[in-house]
Amino acid sequence: MSMDLNDYTIIKEGEAEILMHAKNEVFFNKTQVNNRDMSIAVLRTFISKRKQEHEALLSKRNKKNGSSSDVEDKPNDCDINIEKSNDQGLEEKPNEDPCTASEEPVKIEGKVRGKLKPPRVLEALSASGLRALRYAREVEGIGQVVALDNDKGAVEACQRNIKFNGSVACSKVESHLADARVYMLTHPKEFDVVDLDPYGSPSVFLDSAVQSVVDGGMLMCTATDMAVLCGGNGEVCYSKYGSYPLRGKYCHEMALRILLACIESHANRYKRYIVPVLSVQMDFYVRVFVRVYTSASAMKNTPLKLSYVYQCIGCDSFHLQPIGRTVSKNTSVRYLPGFAPVVPQECSDCGKKFNMGGPIWSAPIHDQDWVTSILADVKSMKNCYPAYERISAVLTTISEELPDVPLFLSLHNLCATLKCTSPSAVIFRSAVINAGYQISGTHVNPLGLKSDAPMDVIWDIMRCWVKNHPVKAQPADLPGSVILAKEPILQANFARAVASLSKAQAKKVARFLPNPERHWGPKLRAGRQITSKHISLLGEEAVNGCLNDQDSERDAKRQKIEKSNDAIAES
């Protein structure tokens, strides 16, 4: 079908180029360049790790070459299920990548096993296909990318963009008109990577997505409904994700942990479980990268990774209640409910009641080995990432986070409760370190501090600070007054500690960058009519330009109709 390129704008991102029509027919979000760059970085590391795991598995099997035991021959739960990822679903694809189709199986330990083939990627909600095209063109070792959309216009645009990007894209990317949920359900354990990036909540896609990933494969998932996840609509969050959010300063990290708990819940229904490798809150969304494994025995550990959160309504102190616990005796392990309660009816610090939220994922949300590898890859290929500055800053901050501390404190929030002047972050960090605890920043909030110190230690440090920096008299029933009325048990030491600054801070590496332009955020859904109410999203100039174009288009249509009516009248 012929087309006039004058009707399209060519958008280039990385090595991919797409054609965008002047009308808002197919959704394209410029701000998601950070998301796409981060995904490409993780995908490159996944391919590298996958190869290392495969080689380790072959080496392990070769060492056992003389053994005929079925038990020894069986791979571990955490090994990649190479046979499933190689043997399923490839024969029905007519446009197979030639290098994938030509690989021959090899014989290992007397059994025929497939070689490690290039990974297959499913982009479940492709729209213009930009993400799929970037995967195909920029990630070395990619086998096949399947781009889905249930909108006919989006699929036509994706197919047009595939042709526009040349032979590499044509040989590796294929676009289908399909409901992503149905497609994933009918292609179980076929894709090494499944990418979910919907406009809004991913909850309706999770059940089918966790079934479509091969053992040891990667699920990438974005949620942009932050108002729901951060406590704006708690009942809606519970209906979508099975968890109740709390409106604390840590709400964005809680959003990450709610999403992880939801994915784990869906995976457990199929005797599967997840291992997070990277979890990021950026711009207006959260994005998680998890490995999916199958193991009925390992799945039993899920209650140990989930917790409820108690948050004081007075001083914002929070406490975690694990759902489960284990008791070990000799070689046997019993799984039991968690001990309760972790808090009394009233807060021991200020005397107020608690709100309860969750359950959330309380295990680590990053794999620091992966984060180090991803960051090293990004720095070595900085010219390949359009959003290099932003993603390297986020990854640097994540690499310095305490891995096993859920949620975080806000120093300004603590001082607002006590109505005192705030110590500098270095002084507060030093006091925590001198008390024998760990503390770090968080990528979610520049003012957030993660620490394994209990809340009574934190308040003792603040009481000692207020003794040296007195506050004005306040009503006795305020939470801050109740806290300050108690004498500190711990005598805080505010002397400068060596580790009070992270390595990135000491080197003055930028960790939190401003938005590159005004009105940086989510844009309109495809097909929405642009009106004056969208100025806050798109900017006044963009909206006025679109409105003028729409007016001129309407005038042209009116003139055309009038001319045709005149011609009919004359005849």
Side-chain angles (χ1 to χ4, degrees):
M1 187 177 72
S2 62
M3 62 179 183
D4 186 0
L5 286 177
N6 294 324
D7 295 336
Y8 296 90
T9 303
I10 298 176
I11 296 174
K12 182 174 174 59
E13 187 180 290
E15 292 183 19
E17 293 180 329
I18 60 170
L19 297 167
M20 289 301 296
H21 201 277
K23 297 178 182 177
N24 187 32
E25 292 176 335
V26 178
F27 184 65
F28 164 71
N29 204 343
K30 179 181 177 182
T31 57
Q32 291 287 63
V33 60
N34 299 328
N35 187 315
R36 289 184 283 268
D37 271 12
M38 188 71 80
S39 303
I40 287 170
V42 173
L43 191 51
R44 284 185 171 128
T45 303
F46 170 71
I47 291 172
S48 172
K49 296 272 187 187
R50 179 174 173 265
K51 186 177 179 182
Q52 291 172 15
E53 289 168 356
H54 175 62
E55 290 171 352
L57 181 59
L58 292 185
S59 175
K60 181 179 176 182
R61 287 177 179 169
N62 288 335
K63 284 179 182 177
K64 294 179 179 179
N65 200 29
S67 172
S68 59
S69 170
D70 291 337
V71 175
E72 289 185 345
D73 190 48
K74 184 180 178 182
N76 291 336
D77 289 325
C78 293
D79 289 330
I80 292 182
N81 190 333
I82 300 153
E83 294 76 36
K84 287 180 180 176
S85 66
N86 287 332
D87 297 337
Q88 290 184 353
L90 292 178
E91 64 276 8
E92 64 184 34
K93 303 295 178 188
N95 296 327
E96 261 186 333
D97 186 37
C99 66
T100 306
S102 63
E103 295 198 16
E104 294 295 329
V106 293
K107 210 169 188 180
I108 302 172
E109 294 186 21
K111 293 187 178 182
V112 176
R113 301 188 183 279
K115 284 184 179 178
L116 185 65
K117 294 183 180 179
R120 301 180 71 216
V121 180
L122 175 67
E123 194 199 351
L125 306 148
S126 63
S128 64
L130 175 59
R131 188 186 298 262
L133 291 167
R134 288 197 65 190
Y135 286 166
R137 295 196 61 171
E138 296 180 38
V139 182
E140 187 179 347
I142 281 285
Q144 181 191 36
V145 184
V146 178
L148 303 179
D149 209 292
N150 66 349
D151 180 75
K152 189 176 179 181
V155 173
E156 289 173 355
C158 186
Q159 291 172 345
R160 183 168 57 239
N161 291 327
I162 290 170
K163 291 178 182 176
F164 189 68
N165 278 266
S167 59
V168 173
C170 290
S171 65
K172 291 190 175 183
V173 185
E174 57 183 62
S175 178
H176 297 291
L177 177 65
D179 186 317
R181 294 167 294 184
V182 176
Y183 190 92
M184 288 188 287
L185 281 173
T186 53
H187 294 74
K189 295 187 179 180
E190 282 195 21
F191 293 96
D192 300 282
V193 180
V194 173
D195 193 327
L196 289 177
D197 188 7
Y199 192 104
S201 172
S203 59
V204 296
F205 302 101
L206 293 177
D207 200 77
S208 47
V210 294
Q211 298 179 68
S212 188
V213 188
V214 303
D215 241 16
M218 175 80 71
L219 173 61
M220 306 176 174
C221 182
T222 303
T224 61
D225 55 335
M226 295 301 287
V228 170
L229 283 165
C230 291
N233 302 92
E235 66 285 358
V236 177
C237 184
Y238 190 83
S239 67
K240 288 185 176 181
Y241 298 97
S243 183
Y244 212 95
L246 296 173
R247 300 187 70 175
K249 289 290 183 183
Y250 49 71
C251 63
H252 291 97
E253 183 179 327
M254 191 171 186
L256 274 172
R257 294 180 179 276
I258 287 173
L259 179 57
L260 287 170
C262 184
I263 297 172
E264 175 81 348
S265 171
H266 284 283
N268 285 170
R269 294 162 200 174
Y270 307 100
K271 298 182 180 178
R272 312 193 90 183
Y273 66 99
I274 65 168
V275 177
V277 296
L278 180 67
S279 307
V280 183
Q281 189 274 317
M282 281 194 303
D283 299 326
F284 51 88
Y285 58 87
V286 289
R287 175 82 161 163
V288 297
F289 303 86
V290 301
R291 305 285 297 275
V292 180
Y293 297 100
T294 304
S295 172
S297 58
M299 189 190 68
K300 293 179 183 177
N301 291 316
T302 291
L304 311 178
K305 307 172 194 172
L306 303 177
S307 299
Y308 287 96
V309 183
Y310 292 95
Q311 178 184 286
C312 176
I313 62 174
C315 63
D316 285 342
S317 299
F318 64 88
H319 306 268
L320 269 67
Q321 167 69 67
I323 289 180
R325 61 188 171 92
T326 57
V327 176
S328 300
K329 187 175 182 181
N330 299 326
T331 57
S332 64
V333 178
R334 289 183 64 201
Y335 292 85
L336 300 170
F339 283 127
V342 291
V343 292
Q345 280 287 313
E346 296 178 346
C347 177
S348 57
D349 295 309
C350 71
K352 300 294 182 180
K353 298 282 187 182
F354 287 96
N355 283 331
M356 189 179 81
I360 65 168
W361 180 273
S362 51
I365 59 175
H366 315 293
D367 184 320
Q368 289 298 338
D369 179 48
W370 274 71
V371 174
T372 303
S373 300
I374 295 166
L375 184 57
D377 173 75
V378 167
K379 287 182 176 178
S380 67
M381 304 177 70
K382 61 187 297 184
N383 295 329
C384 299
Y385 295 99
Y388 167 76
E389 298 293 337
R390 183 64 187 274
I391 65 169
S392 63
V394 171
L395 288 167
T396 299
T397 313
I398 289 173
S399 69
E400 296 180 337
E401 279 186 13
L402 287 175
D404 54 353
V405 177
L407 309 181
F408 58 85
L409 302 165
S410 168
L411 184 55
H412 287 192
N413 217 35
L414 296 173
C415 295
T417 300
L418 302 180
K419 302 193 181 329
C420 67
T421 57
S422 176
S424 69
V426 173
I427 290 176
F428 183 79
R429 280 169 174 252
S430 298
V432 173
I433 292 168
N434 293 333
Y437 298 96
Q438 294 177 293
I439 192 167
S440 75
T442 170
H443 79 280
V444 173
N445 189 326
L447 301 174
L449 294 170
K450 283 181 171 289
S451 177
D452 57 354
M455 284 308 302
D456 54 354
V457 170
I458 298 295
W459 287 125
D460 275 355
I461 291 171
M462 293 307 298
R463 290 184 186 107
C464 293
W465 170 259
V466 170
K467 281 192 173 184
N468 297 328
H469 302 80
V471 298
K472 293 180 181 179
Q474 301 291 336
D477 59 341
L478 288 181
S481 302
V482 175
I483 291 169
L484 292 176
K486 300 174 184 177
E487 283 296 313
I489 298 172
L490 170 79
Q491 294 303 313
N493 176 9
F494 294 102
R496 177 76 175 263
V498 176
S500 59
L501 286 178
S502 69
K503 291 180 181 178
Q505 286 176 306
K507 294 178 182 177
K508 297 187 176 179
V509 175
R511 296 171 301 120
F512 296 93
L513 301 179
N515 291 333
E517 59 187 47
R518 292 185 66 194
H519 309 290
W520 185 258
K523 305 305 179 188
L524 267 66
R525 275 183 185 269
R528 291 279 176 92
Q529 189 76 12
I530 295 173
T531 65
S532 57
K533 71 178 182 180
H534 296 122
I535 287 178
S536 62
L537 281 180
L538 306 174
E540 191 172 351
E541 292 180 6
V543 169
N544 290 338
C546 289
L547 292 178
N548 291 336
D549 290 342
Q550 290 171 14
D551 290 340
S552 60
E553 195 174 307
R554 278 196 294 268
D555 291 340
K557 284 182 180 178
R558 193 182 301 113
Q559 291 173 7
K560 189 175 181 181
I561 292 169
E562 287 173 356
K563 284 181 181 178
S564 62
N565 289 339
D566 291 342
I568 292 169
E570 288 175 2
S571 62

